[in-house]
Amino acid sequence: MSVNETLQKRQHIRRIVFILMALSVILPLIFKIGLPLKTTKEVRDVFEFIDSLPEGSAVVFSFDHDTATLPEMIPLAEALLRHSFRKNLRVLGLALLAEGAAIGDDNFRRIGNEFGKVYGEDYIFWGFRPQVTVAMLGLGEDISRVFPSDYYGKDVQSYPVMEGIDSYDDIAGVISIADGDMPVHWINYAQARYGVNVIPAVTAVMATTMYPFLQSGQIAGLAAGLRGAAEYEMLLGKPGRAARGMDAQSSAHLLIIGLIIAGNVLMIIERRRK
Amino acid sequence: MDIGTTVAAILTLAIYSFLYRDNPFYKVAEHLLLGVSVGYFLVTTIVTTIMPKLFIPVFANGELSYLVPGILGALMFLRFSRKLSPYSRIPLALIIGVGSGVAIPAYMQAQLIAQLKTTMLPLDDISNIIIIAAVVSVLMYFYFSREHKGLTGAGAKAGMYFLMVFFGSTFGYTVMARVSLLIGRMQFLLGDWLGIIK
């Protein structure tokens, strides 16, 4: 077989794999299987942390991600926001990545409206700040110096929701919705220095980076990826988009396992032939 | 279905068309993404940072102290001039100096001391034994002042296996994340756009 023929054959195999992968995701989305979904301790810890907060406690949502990871980040943000609004907590928001500002504001408005919450009274979105270190340390001293005005340019302290909230001392926890290592910065600058509770809600890729902090007790819990969001939806008793995607997730994983086994078997057969 | 959903769906399909082969539709979608991202970042930075943190305090409120960081920031652009580029090191030196001063103690406290504390565990639990064995053997793997033979070699080899388990679990999570992204897009295409699924 010539080099050209080999390359063409490989290209065909790649396309077959892509088609199989698409089918393994699409079919379970259309024809629901309903595989069981168990909750893990780390997600339950996040749930219990928010659930244990008294009404009126303040939680900060930091949207530390961009648009590329929205399918993982939005279900996590929605589930945690729903829980916070349901518990009548004061929900404060910010973004440490520019794209997170529009995403965060949209989520706050959408989920806030679901629960009949009023902007400025029940929740507020401060907006975007660059230079994460300065922003995180500044929030520990005086929030209004870091965010003198909110996302809409109005004086932050003029909103009733901000009454009695000046620094981390008045905040029950910071939930970092992140697709990178921003929760590690929150741990370094907010948790270690000011003792504020940090809860990472991260992409699955970042889960292994977060586990050492979970074990050391530096984070109050961990919700990672679509699976984390699905578990949270189950705990809320309101299965949503993430929970509905779990069948597709499982079938895609089974396909990948099958492909790995098939690839290795074929490789062994080919080696023996030679 | 609004026009925004249809545009987003067409752009998603344009990006996925790369799986067949490189093509002009993919290129257009890719360039659009880059352009919009950079434009959005630029506008957000001007509106939320440069205006309220520099222009409004200086020109509207007359707070001239804000000029100091403004001038230091402007000095960064001197990197583009061969003759004046050394001056761009002034703000850089300040950033590195202050950054290190702030970061080093924070990292020591949050990453080193807190993590070391969690490794000092009683050997009465199988999980604790595994944690301590993993930390010690991985450290042995990265100890290069002695040849990896005998006890050091055995420790280093065990460390390598622990590292492999870590890489494997990280890769597993990465695969899971990529599949999640695909699921999200399919839910958008089949649900929000075509209305086939709820």
Side-chain angles (χ1 to χ4, degrees):
Chain A
M1 198 185 283
S2 70
V3 176
N4 245 359
E5 280 173 327
T6 314
L7 284 173
Q8 257 186 348
K9 196 178 158 192
R10 278 189 187 168
Q11 189 75 346
H12 283 309
I13 293 170
R14 274 184 68 215
R15 284 171 192 161
I16 291 167
V17 170
F18 292 147
I19 291 167
L20 288 175
M21 181 55 72
L23 288 174
S24 76
V25 167
I26 292 168
L27 292 177
L29 286 176
I30 298 173
F31 309 105
K32 291 178 184 81
I33 307 166
L35 293 170
L37 179 67
K38 284 183 182 168
T39 56
T40 50
K41 190 188 173 298
E42 47 269 35
V43 178
R44 281 201 304 274
D45 285 346
V46 178
F47 183 87
E48 278 157 20
F49 173 78
I50 293 181
D51 217 50
S52 66
L53 295 175
E55 206 171 289
S57 303
V59 283
V60 171
F61 277 73
S62 181
F63 288 83
D64 307 327
H65 64 90
D66 56 28
T67 49
T69 49
L70 279 183
E72 275 192 286
M73 299 282 84
I74 292 299
L76 278 168
E78 284 179 349
L80 286 155
L81 275 171
R82 282 197 179 104
H83 195 193
S84 304
F85 281 131
R86 198 169 80 178
K87 285 285 300 174
N88 293 322
L89 303 179
R90 283 192 279 177
V91 184
L92 322 166
L94 67 110
L96 296 174
L97 292 180
E99 285 180 47
I103 299 164
D105 181 60
D106 175 63
N107 273 288
F108 268 44
R109 293 267 176 200
R110 204 160 35 81
I111 310 295
N113 286 343
E114 251 180 53
F115 288 82
K117 299 290 177 184
V118 180
Y119 185 86
E121 285 178 26
D122 305 301
Y123 68 97
I124 187 172
F125 196 74
W126 296 329
F128 162 70
R129 274 290 165 271
Q131 239 301 334
V132 296
T133 315
V134 176
M136 287 174 186
L137 291 172
L139 290 175
E141 304 299 327
D142 186 357
I143 290 169
S144 58
R145 281 188 70 185
V146 183
F147 291 102
S149 52
D150 71 341
Y151 189 56
Y152 300 97
K154 202 176 158 190
D155 181 13
V156 159
Q157 291 302 336
S158 68
Y159 289 105
V161 69
M162 288 298 294
E163 202 182 304
I165 299 175
D166 298 312
S167 67
Y168 289 132
D169 291 341
D170 314 305
I171 287 166
V174 174
I175 300 163
S176 176
I177 318 272
D179 59 4
D181 66 347
M182 204 66 89
V184 178
H185 293 289
W186 280 110
I187 293 165
N188 289 343
Y189 299 114
Q191 195 274 332
R193 185 156 176 173
Y194 295 98
V196 70
N197 290 301
V198 174
I199 299 123
V202 292
T203 48
V205 179
M206 293 308 297
T208 47
T209 309
M210 293 299 138
Y211 272 106
F213 299 108
L214 188 69
Q215 191 216 341
S216 62
Q218 289 169 282
I219 52 178
L222 174 67
L226 199 66
R227 158 96 202 192
E231 286 180 39
Y232 211 94
E233 287 174 357
M234 300 305 285
L235 289 166
L236 279 174
K238 200 181 172 193
R241 197 172 260 234
R244 285 197 293 273
M246 279 301 101
D247 286 346
Q249 187 94 45
S250 301
S251 81
H253 287 184
L254 283 174
L255 175 71
I256 291 165
I257 293 167
L259 288 171
I260 291 169
I261 294 169
N264 278 282
V265 169
L266 287 173
M267 187 190 70
I268 292 165
I269 292 169
E270 211 162 294
R271 269 189 191 170
R272 280 191 182 164
R273 265 191 206 156
K274 283 177 186 172
Chain B
M1 185 203 313
D2 59 48
I3 185 80
T5 308
T6 306
V7 171
I10 291 167
L11 288 172
T12 301
L13 293 173
I15 290 286
Y16 278 139
S17 69
F18 183 77
L19 296 175
Y20 183 70
R21 67 161 66 127
D22 201 358
N23 64 75
F25 298 108
Y26 169 74
K27 286 263 195 285
V28 168
E30 189 190 30
H31 294 164
L32 201 62
L33 173 73
L34 283 174
V36 170
S37 299
V38 173
Y40 179 80
F41 176 75
L42 198 68
V43 171
T44 307
T45 307
I46 291 169
V47 173
T48 64
T49 309
I50 295 175
M51 290 303 284
K53 293 282 182 187
L54 183 64
F55 282 90
I56 293 172
V58 172
F59 298 112
N61 306 338
E63 294 172 85
L64 296 179
S65 61
Y66 281 76
L67 271 176
V68 178
I71 291 167
L72 283 168
L75 284 177
M76 294 278 255
F77 289 101
L78 294 180
R79 285 186 76 81
F80 297 115
S81 156
R82 266 191 203 167
K83 211 174 163 186
L84 301 170
S85 67
Y87 294 104
S88 70
R89 291 184 196 146
I90 298 169
L92 272 180
L94 194 75
I95 289 169
I96 294 166
V98 173
S100 306
V102 170
I104 291 169
Y107 271 73
M108 289 282 279
Q109 195 182 344
Q111 311 260 353
L112 194 66
I113 296 167
Q115 288 298 317
L116 271 177
K117 219 165 85 180
T118 329
T119 319
M120 293 170 191
L121 301 160
L123 294 170
D124 57 359
D125 187 299
I126 187 71
S127 304
N128 292 358
I129 294 167
I130 292 172
I131 288 169
I132 292 166
V135 171
V136 173
S137 59
V138 169
L139 285 174
M140 281 170 96
Y141 179 76
F142 288 108
Y143 182 70
F144 304 116
S145 299
R146 198 173 159 161
E147 203 176 343
H148 286 177
K149 272 183 179 175
L151 191 66
T152 322
K157 199 158 193 177
M160 191 180 73
Y161 287 125
F162 279 118
L163 282 171
M164 281 178 176
V165 170
F166 170 75
F167 296 144
S169 59
T170 304
F171 185 65
Y173 269 115
T174 306
V175 169
M176 186 170 130
R178 300 297 176 251
V179 171
S180 299
L181 296 183
L182 177 64
I183 292 168
R185 280 295 84 190
M186 287 304 156
Q187 283 179 325
F188 168 73
L189 289 174
L190 300 172
D192 300 336
W193 189 43
L194 297 175
I196 296 172
I197 57 165
K198 278 189 179 176

